[in-house]
């Protein structure tokens, strides 16, 4: 419970630090994504230059036609590699942000528990039933949050496993 201005200032400072850390982590994810896009664009440009050189070096119409046809085919390996890299960046960033949020929720719960305990100690006689109700409600809310968090983690793990299975299946079909 906030009993003095120093506690309020500390809470405010902690909130600013947490917001700054989350913003920095998000920016880091965007920087990684921008670097990946720059690298991918550079590779595509180099590939285009090589293709143009090959087209200009073609000696007959048959070779030119074969080159155009082969260049027009999509490159699934390149797309798969790019998609995996984007997914990895996204997953790392979201995992780090989720960890930050979990820490903030845990700290908030600790503060709330402390405030309720302080309130219970200073509550007038006869309000024990109300305080027990508040404590039980808080415990139920925390349990529901934990269950939701566990279900979300399980869903994410299943989605990741399905995605990896689909990528492996697609790669096997292309070979």
């Amino acid at each position: 419970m906030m009993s003095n201005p120093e506690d309020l200032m500390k809470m405010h400072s902690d909130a600013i630090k947490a917001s700054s850390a989350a913003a920095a982590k998000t920016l880091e994810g965007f920087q990684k994504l921008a670097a990946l896009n720059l690298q991918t664009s550079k590779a595509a440009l180099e590939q285009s230059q090589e293709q143009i050189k090959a087209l200009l070096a073609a000696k007959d119409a048959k070779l030119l036609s074969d080159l155009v046809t082969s260049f027009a085919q999509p490159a699934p390996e390149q797309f798969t590699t790019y998609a995996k890299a984007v997914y990895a960046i996204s997953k790392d960033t979201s995992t780090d942000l989720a960890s930050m949020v979990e820490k903030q929720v845990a700290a908030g719960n600790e503060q709330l528990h402390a405030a309720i305990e302080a309130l219970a100690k200073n509550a007038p006689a006869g309000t024990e039933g109300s305080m027990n109700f508040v404590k039980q409600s808080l415990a139920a809310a925390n349990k529901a949050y934990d269950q939701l968090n566990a279900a979300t983690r399980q869903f994410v793990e299943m989605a990741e496993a399905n995605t990896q299975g689909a990528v492996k299946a697609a790669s096997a079909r292309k070979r």
Side-chain angles (χ1 to χ4, degrees):
M1 191 165 187
M2 299 294 133
S3 59
N4 59 41
E6 289 81 22
D7 290 342
L8 186 60
M9 292 296 290
K10 182 182 180 326
M11 186 178 80
H12 183 67
S13 174
D14 290 347
I16 290 173
K17 286 178 186 175
S19 295
S20 295
K25 184 51 69 177
T26 302
L27 185 58
E28 180 183 321
F30 281 125
Q31 288 173 332
K32 288 178 182 179
L33 193 57
L36 174 65
N37 287 336
L38 183 62
Q39 177 186 3
T40 303
S41 297
K42 187 175 180 180
L45 183 61
E46 289 171 359
Q47 182 181 14
S48 294
Q49 289 173 342
E50 290 172 11
Q51 289 173 346
I52 291 170
K53 286 179 185 176
L55 290 172
L56 292 175
K59 300 292 184 195
D60 60 16
K62 170 83 171 105
L63 179 59
L64 183 63
S65 174
D66 291 344
L67 286 173
V68 168
T69 302
S70 69
F71 294 157
Q73 298 297 320
E77 298 83 21
Q78 291 173 338
F79 175 75
T80 302
T81 301
Y82 177 77
K84 284 181 181 179
V86 169
Y87 177 75
I89 291 168
S90 174
K91 182 181 175 194
D92 290 345
T93 302
S94 65
T95 299
D96 291 344
L97 288 172
S99 174
M100 289 178 184
V101 168
E102 285 180 16
K103 288 178 185 176
Q104 286 297 310
V105 168
N109 281 340
E110 287 177 21
Q111 290 175 345
L112 183 58
H113 284 292
I116 290 172
E117 289 300 321
L119 184 64
K121 287 179 184 176
N122 297 324
T127 60
E128 293 83 12
S130 297
M131 291 310 302
N132 284 336
F133 175 75
V134 170
K135 288 179 183 180
Q136 289 174 354
S137 297
L138 182 61
N142 283 336
K143 186 173 181 178
Y145 173 79
D146 290 342
Q147 289 174 343
L148 179 64
N149 209 4
T152 302
R153 282 192 185 120
Q154 186 178 13
F155 175 77
V156 168
E157 289 170 3
M158 283 186 352
E160 287 175 358
N162 289 341
T163 302
Q164 290 173 357
V167 167
K168 287 179 183 177
S171 295
R173 277 184 274 171
K174 289 178 178 102
R175 290 180 187 166

